[in-house]
Amino acid sequence: MKVALGADHAGYELKEHVKRWLVEHGHEVVDFGTDSTDSVDYPDYAFAASEAVSTGKADVGVLSCGTGIGVSIAANKVPGIRAALVNDPEAAVLSREHNSANVLCMGGRRTTPAQANAILEAWFATAFAGGRHARRVDKIMKRDCRSR
């Protein structure tokens, strides 16, 4: 799977950890930055990675900032993106199974490497369940005028 990564300065270290995990698990990574802990604006990186997912240049995305809130808000402004802020493996499973999330967001100041590993394992192992959930996701996507 091709995965777009993005993070601000507060999510940089988590992004680097995620990048190593993804490569170790056989995924192709496209890193949209940032490349250090120097202060930057999270929307720039969330938009870049999410645009790659939206346009099909990447299959899914993983974003991080201090809390994960900022990147999730920014990512959800990109047409076709269903970004989910995830703090534990159960939420990771449900974001994929019920919401067909295509961008995973985590907080760099709130997620340990061990927690990130468990979240990533759950998120990448889970497929969209479809059924009644497809009807709900379709309603969300129809509301997103930009993705029509």
Side-chain angles (χ1 to χ4, degrees):
M1 191 173 282
K2 187 182 266 189
V3 183
L5 295 182
D8 71 357
H9 54 284
Y12 169 74
E13 289 180 16
L14 181 59
K15 176 184 68 79
E16 293 300 305
H17 174 80
V18 168
K19 186 188 311 184
R20 288 187 297 275
W21 187 95
L22 291 167
V23 170
E24 288 171 7
H25 288 82
H27 299 285
E28 182 181 347
V29 173
V30 182
D31 188 346
F32 288 90
T34 191
D35 299 319
S36 75
T37 56
D38 295 339
S39 183
V40 295
D41 298 332
Y42 64 83
D44 298 335
Y45 303 94
F47 292 153
S50 297
E51 286 287 344
V53 176
S54 179
T55 60
K57 294 176 183 164
D59 300 304
V60 295
V62 179
L63 303 174
S64 59
C65 63
T67 62
I69 296 168
V71 291
S72 67
I73 292 170
N76 278 313
K77 298 298 183 186
V78 175
I81 295 302
R82 293 174 307 280
L85 173 56
V86 172
N87 296 309
D88 59 56
E90 180 182 10
V93 167
L94 294 173
S95 76
R96 295 282 279 169
E97 198 172 75
H98 293 191
N99 310 114
S100 191
N102 54 9
V103 174
L104 168 64
C105 302
M106 294 185 282
R109 293 182 177 144
R110 303 198 180 280
T111 309
T112 67
Q115 290 168 327
N117 291 349
I119 290 167
L120 291 163
E121 191 70 42
W123 203 77
F124 280 94
T126 304
F128 181 48
R132 71 183 191 275
H133 305 295
R135 183 178 71 245
R136 296 164 186 163
V137 171
D138 286 345
K139 287 181 179 187
I140 292 168
M141 298 316 296
K142 285 178 184 169
R143 181 71 175 196
D144 184 358
C145 301
R146 301 161 300 181
S147 65
R148 290 184 195 166

